[in-house]
Amino acid sequence: MADAAKVGSVLALDGPVIDQLREAKAFKTTQNWNLFRAPSTLARAETIEVAADIQDVNDSLGDTAGLGATTMRRVVTGEKASGKSIHLLQAMSLAYLNKWVVVNVPDCQEYVINQSAYTPAATKEGDQSKDQMYNQPQLAADLLSRLAYSNADILTKLKPIHKHGDRIDSRKSKNLKDLALIGAEDRIMAPRVWDATWKELTVPVEGAKEKRPPVMVAIDGVNFWMGETRYRSSDYKVIHAHQFTLVKQFLDLLFSRGQNSLGNGGMVMAVTTKSNHPITPAFELLVRQTRARQDGVEMTDSSFPLGDQYAKMPDPRVAELFHPDTQTAVTELKGLSRPESKGLLEYFAKSGIFREAVTDSEVAEKWSLSGGGIVGEMCKLGARTRVGIYATGPREGVKVRV
Amino acid sequence: MEIRAAPEIDFERTRMDAPARILPASPSYFTGAPMFTDDLLELESLVNEYGRVPQVDPDKAPRMAWLRLSQYRASSGERVRASKYAQILRLLTRLNRIHPQLRPEAVSDTLLRYQRPGAAKIQQATPGTIDAYGRSKGVGRRKESSARVFLVEGNGEVLINGRSLIDAFPRIHDRESALWPLKVTSRIDKYNVFALANGGGVTGQAESITLGLAKALLVQEPALKPILRRAGCVTRDPRRVERKKPGRLKARKKPTWVKR
């Protein structure tokens, strides 16, 4: 998948990687996996970029634990059906192939719609001005379960190296998989076990010879975390998404200036969702501003995107996330190029789903009809059923798929 | 009873220039609108006589602007009803369909009498032009929607009201019908489309873009007209929403029928 010459070809995923992705809940039922015998993805130019980033992280690691570890931070946006979730799946597959540990948040919506239990987290003394934070035990348990089962091979070989307090006896768990499963099976312990596991994975012991693998954090639907939730506090006040510990932890990691980083190296990739998404004007504005800055547009330029002066004040918590020193890169997934579209349609044709001849003019027509090569729309066009009706004979009037 | 002969005609005093008995010029004198009746009969006789001469298709017949009702009334001096004048117009269009090269002089002269003055200039449709940037424009309408479509040679990009095709038309059917003229002529990848549609709903806007795009394409490539006509892109669909009528709940739906 990392080969630049493979751009435009559809590559099959390895069996073990498929199992790991399934455990991590990376496959969605709304995607068209059931049309084909084995899961495969189209290698795009963006796939090559992710592979190069992963290689950079691998190359930067030194000989001892934590030496030279870099954290890559990416936010991926794009139109509806432009292939953002699959892009995340490709990044996760590359991480699994590179023997990284993958933490997957398949649906950020679960964290904000008040369908999971929440408990107030203990606030430290002297932190009266700060918001009341909340834990979500079941969601932490699910996170640990996905982590434990999808990374089973790697985690069974890693022993706990930190002390985690009274309730978690790290001597009882022989390896990190067992440690994670304590929280996966007992949701009351889950938030503490999550903190412990996270510390094990991302805080190296200085100078230790045994290196821990880098961590890939994959988040799908991050725009759900950029506003208020459906949860209410005990005073019946609406709780903001950033008051949940898991959400805050991941967002601090994604947008930090370098303080909250992955001590053993790795990548944090968050992807937005455009289907059934909440209205988040502050987040969208800041994504546009970050992209403008990346493109070299100065803040004083007239073309720099500014918010609507007559709109409501943007969410201050979201506004805090971005700042001039941020290392978070925002990429936008646009439509496929013509060679990539041709490769995709050829795959559909070879699978027997696309019945037309894959000529350049046919590819160009489908490219235009899918709004400039939007992958999801192109797959829909490639999989369209043509229905024919028998005109004569014993099956007269019967409709069949042609 | 005594029968007396008429008195002898005195040729010295009798005037020979006036007729002895005044007869009307035409039997139509005894109708309500004699000039109209004469015209109608003349046209009908021409149709009967030359009805077998080869005709052309209605859209290929020469474009003619006939006298308006007010103009005909002025020329004949009679208050002819619109429905009656429509009969004359029907006959004129029938005679106009006779092949121009095979048309008898009698027919041509008659048709000229009914041509609207200044019509030659009015009826020349100004053909669309391609501007300095290579853009051609077409306007299409459907139901309550209207669309202006600009077509320029390109590689297949489409913008509808500044948004991409997927944003503008979530339904595949609407997308395909909007680009139908290009799809049918296999030219989707040869042109870029910029359309501004307003009014109506989603499908109405898509269909209005169909018509506008066909017109814009005909400016660029007039030879495609027969193909587009067979594809159904050239005719403006005249269907509109039918009005509600009194005594009914909607245009056609009637209240529940009650036996008693």
Side-chain angles (χ1 to χ4, degrees), chain A residues 25-296:
Chain A
K25 308 278 187 287
F27 296 111
K28 290 189 182 178
T29 50
T30 49
Q31 292 159 347
N32 61 357
W33 305 110
N34 57 356
L35 283 178
F36 306 101
R37 290 179 204 279
S40 320
T41 53
L42 175 72
R44 293 171 70 159
E46 289 83 359
T47 317
I48 308 302
E49 286 170 18
V50 170
D53 287 342
I54 291 178
Q55 194 53 44
D56 288 343
V57 171
N58 282 341
D59 292 339
S60 70
L61 294 173
D63 296 324
T64 53
L67 189 65
T70 41
T71 310
M72 297 252 176
R73 296 174 171 91
R74 300 275 177 273
V75 170
V76 181
T77 59
E79 275 187 55
K80 187 165 122 164
S82 53
K84 304 181 288 292
S85 295
I86 298 288
H87 183 68
L88 199 65
L89 182 138
Q90 287 176 344
M92 286 166 63
S93 315
L94 287 163
Y96 284 126
L97 287 169
N98 280 277
K99 306 273 182 278
W100 285 20
V101 171
V102 176
V103 175
N104 187 25
V105 178
D107 192 2
C108 290
Q109 199 187 25
E110 295 175 320
Y111 290 72
V112 300
I113 48 175
N114 196 356
Q115 286 185 3
S116 184
Y118 64 120
T119 60
T123 46
K124 295 187 189 140
E125 283 183 35
D127 277 353
Q128 296 297 323
S129 57
K130 289 204 177 151
D131 300 317
Q132 172 68 53
M133 301 295 288
Y134 296 88
N135 286 324
Q136 286 161 308
Q138 185 58 50
L139 294 172
D142 292 340
L143 206 55
L144 285 163
S145 158
R146 289 192 293 267
L147 171 75
Y149 289 117
S150 65
N151 301 291
D153 286 341
I154 297 173
L155 292 179
T156 43
K157 295 183 186 118
L158 298 174
K159 291 193 174 47
I161 49 179
H162 294 288
K163 280 197 183 152
H164 296 295
D166 305 329
R167 303 266 182 96
I168 301 168
D169 192 352
S170 43
R171 284 169 299 168
K172 280 194 190 160
S173 31
K174 287 176 286 187
N175 50 48
L176 287 188
K177 183 184 171 188
D178 290 342
L179 178 63
L181 284 177
I182 296 172
E185 281 146 18
D186 177 5
R187 74 167 189 204
I188 296 170
M189 292 288 289
R192 268 170 295 216
V193 173
W194 166 253
D195 288 337
T197 317
W198 186 250
K199 191 174 174 187
E200 291 285 345
L201 286 172
T202 58
V203 177
V205 169
E206 291 293 326
K209 281 212 191 124
E210 189 204 329
K211 284 196 294 181
R212 287 271 158 103
V215 175
M216 159 77 80
V217 179
I219 302 167
D220 197 339
V222 76
N223 45 343
F224 275 102
W225 287 352
M226 300 297 172
E228 293 181 337
T229 65
R230 295 271 193 88
Y231 288 99
R232 296 255 180 191
S233 67
S234 55
D235 298 333
Y236 204 65
K237 287 200 188 118
V238 174
I239 303 177
H240 195 274
H242 296 192
Q243 287 177 255
F244 288 100
T245 47
L246 286 171
V247 172
K248 184 126 181 68
Q249 182 181 9
F250 285 128
L251 290 179
D252 280 347
L253 185 61
L254 182 57
F255 293 109
S256 76
R257 284 175 222 203
Q259 290 136 4
N260 299 326
S261 50
L262 299 164
N264 290 310
M267 184 188 251
V268 187
M269 184 181 275
V271 141
T272 58
T273 176
K274 271 277 159 68
S275 59
N276 182 32
H277 65 107
I279 300 166
T280 47
F283 179 63
E284 278 162 29
L285 172 66
L286 291 165
V287 161
R288 284 203 306 272
Q289 286 181 341
T290 309
R291 289 202 55 235
R293 242 188 270 124
Q294 270 171 212
D295 293 339

Side-chain angles (χ1 to χ4, degrees), chain A residues 338 364-365 368 370 377 384, chain B residues 155-156 172 175 183 188-189:
Chain A
R338 302 290 167 119
E365 189 187 301
S368 279
S370 57
E377 297 297 333
R384 258 163 69 170
Chain B
N155 67 342
I172 296 186
R175 264 177 254 158
K183 189 165 155 67
I188 287 191
D189 52 333

Side-chain angles (χ1 to χ4, degrees), chain A residues 8-23:
Chain A
S9 51
V10 178
L11 307 169
L13 298 167
D14 293 335
V17 173
I18 296 175
D19 292 334
Q20 287 177 292
L21 289 168
R22 197 185 303 119
E23 296 290 349

